[in-house]
Amino acid sequence: MSSNPLALFRRRARKPAFGRILLYVLMVALAVPFLLPLLWMVSSSLKPISEIFSYPPSLLPSDWRWDNYARITDYQPFGRQYFNSLYIAALVCVGSVVVSAMAGYAFARVRLIGGGTMFVLLLTALLMPSEVIIVPLFRLFSEIGWTDTHWPLIIPAVFGSNSVFGTFVMRQFFLGLPAELEESGRLDGLGRFGLFFRIALPLAGPSLSAVALLSFLHSWNSFLEPLVFLRSPEMFTLPVALTQIVDNFGAPVWNVQLAASTLTVIPVLAVFLVAQRWFIKSIVNSGLKG
């Protein structure tokens, strides 16, 4: 064992640095499978079609085709479809947050007869795939004249699986609130709605952001429901619109499709970058309480 204090200090300082470098290398290696498809999509959106599937593949285009982005509107009313997806996702996001917060608070803080059984039955809705009920929903919405409108994409999403999972997340959060907070609120004369809106809800920011983020992503990426319920290109949302960018022979125009796909990623990245800190905090907290 060395008795030189300076050498001992250098060895101890070198170990954390080596471990940190090894951790960074491991993180970069694990990120490659997730980042490579995204980089390929962005790069291919700037290439001519003949270069996208050429061998050997290249990451950067040899012939930069910025006009691929301008050509999107030649095939679809892309601006209208982009607005459709944005406002539908925003309405689903707000509606799911309101329903989930109120239902989660009721299951967690209000004494209901059979409340536990009702909550378990509610969770079973998560086990039912959407494909099972798509035909009955189509017949129902056809009878009331909602096909080729956006209502079938909003109402079932707000009161369906989005809100069921959101109710679970919010219930777990409200279960962890100290009872003393509500007792002090009652001493100040607050009723049940006052306790919810003035004490419980202001503390639920991280969980609310997680529910909002998941609801937005679910609505933004939804494909089956828009494909079944919508007919007009002006009513399409982006996932369906991307499949309709084809030439006169029905073949996909890959570079224009990938340019449109790149633009559809922007809102998702923006929402996630804003809410990621609260989202991770909420998932950690909700997973610790039963």
Side-chain angles (χ1 to χ4, degrees):
M1 183 176 181
S2 175
S3 58
N4 188 343
L6 183 59
L8 184 61
F9 173 77
R10 286 176 177 173
R11 279 201 302 273
R12 289 180 176 177
R14 193 178 302 122
K15 286 182 178 177
F18 177 76
R20 196 178 304 116
I21 292 173
L22 186 62
L23 178 62
Y24 287 154
V25 171
L26 180 62
M27 291 173 65
V28 170
L30 292 176
V32 168
F34 300 97
L35 291 177
L36 193 58
L38 183 64
L39 293 175
W40 181 84
M41 178 183 69
V42 176
S43 171
S44 299
S45 70
L46 298 170
K47 295 178 179 177
I49 292 180
S50 59
E51 195 177 334
I52 293 177
F53 300 109
S54 63
Y55 186 84
S58 60
L59 185 59
L60 296 177
S62 60
D63 182 13
W64 294 78
R65 296 290 184 89
W66 294 99
D67 62 327
N68 289 339
Y69 286 84
R71 292 170 54 202
I72 298 173
T73 54
D74 295 342
Y75 297 91
Q76 290 292 311
F78 194 69
R80 173 65 184 273
Q81 294 161 347
Y82 211 98
F83 173 75
N84 292 341
S85 283
L86 276 178
Y87 99 84
I88 291 173
L91 288 180
V92 170
C93 177
V94 173
S96 299
V97 167
V98 172
V99 172
S100 301
M102 299 186 73
Y105 182 79
F107 278 116
R109 312 302 293 193
V110 180
R111 293 182 179 177
L112 301 171
I113 299 175
T117 304
M118 291 172 57
F119 184 67
V120 172
L121 290 176
L122 185 68
L123 290 183
T124 57
L126 293 175
L127 304 177
M128 186 177 296
S130 59
E131 293 83 357
V132 174
I133 59 174
I134 196 70
V135 173
L137 284 178
F138 180 78
R139 296 190 62 178
L140 170 65
F141 293 139
S142 295
E143 291 180 1
I144 62 177
W146 279 11
T147 53
D148 206 22
T149 71
H150 291 153
W151 290 114
L153 310 183
I154 298 173
I155 301 300
V158 170
F159 296 98
S161 58
N162 279 344
S163 294
V164 172
F165 181 73
T167 300
F168 170 76
V169 173
M170 297 308 300
R171 175 183 177 271
Q172 300 305 98
F173 172 78
F174 289 128
L175 282 175
L177 285 182
E180 292 78 9
L181 288 175
E182 290 194 339
E183 291 175 0
S184 62
R186 288 194 183 92
L187 292 177
D188 292 336
L190 294 178
R192 177 58 65 185
F193 283 99
L195 294 174
F196 172 67
F197 284 108
R198 301 184 62 177
I199 293 181
L201 199 59
L203 298 173
S207 296
L208 290 174
S209 66
V211 174
L213 176 60
L214 293 175
S215 301
F216 185 90
L217 292 180
H218 183 271
S219 176
W220 186 263
N221 295 327
S222 177
F223 176 74
L224 178 62
E225 290 81 1
L227 181 67
V228 171
F229 296 124
L230 301 180
R231 292 288 179 272
S232 307
E234 292 78 13
M235 302 299 290
F236 282 171
T237 54
L238 290 176
V240 178
L242 294 178
T243 66
Q244 304 300 313
I245 300 177
V246 294
D247 60 17
N248 294 331
F249 302 99
V253 187
W254 290 108
N255 49 0
V256 180
Q257 274 193 352
L258 290 170
S261 301
T262 302
L263 294 178
T264 64
V265 174
I266 295 175
V268 178
L269 285 179
V271 171
F272 184 76
L273 289 175
V274 170
Q276 62 170 333
R277 181 168 58 87
W278 288 346
F279 173 73
I280 295 172
K281 183 179 179 181
S282 171
I283 294 299
V284 171
N285 290 339
S286 62
L288 295 177
K289 302 179 181 67

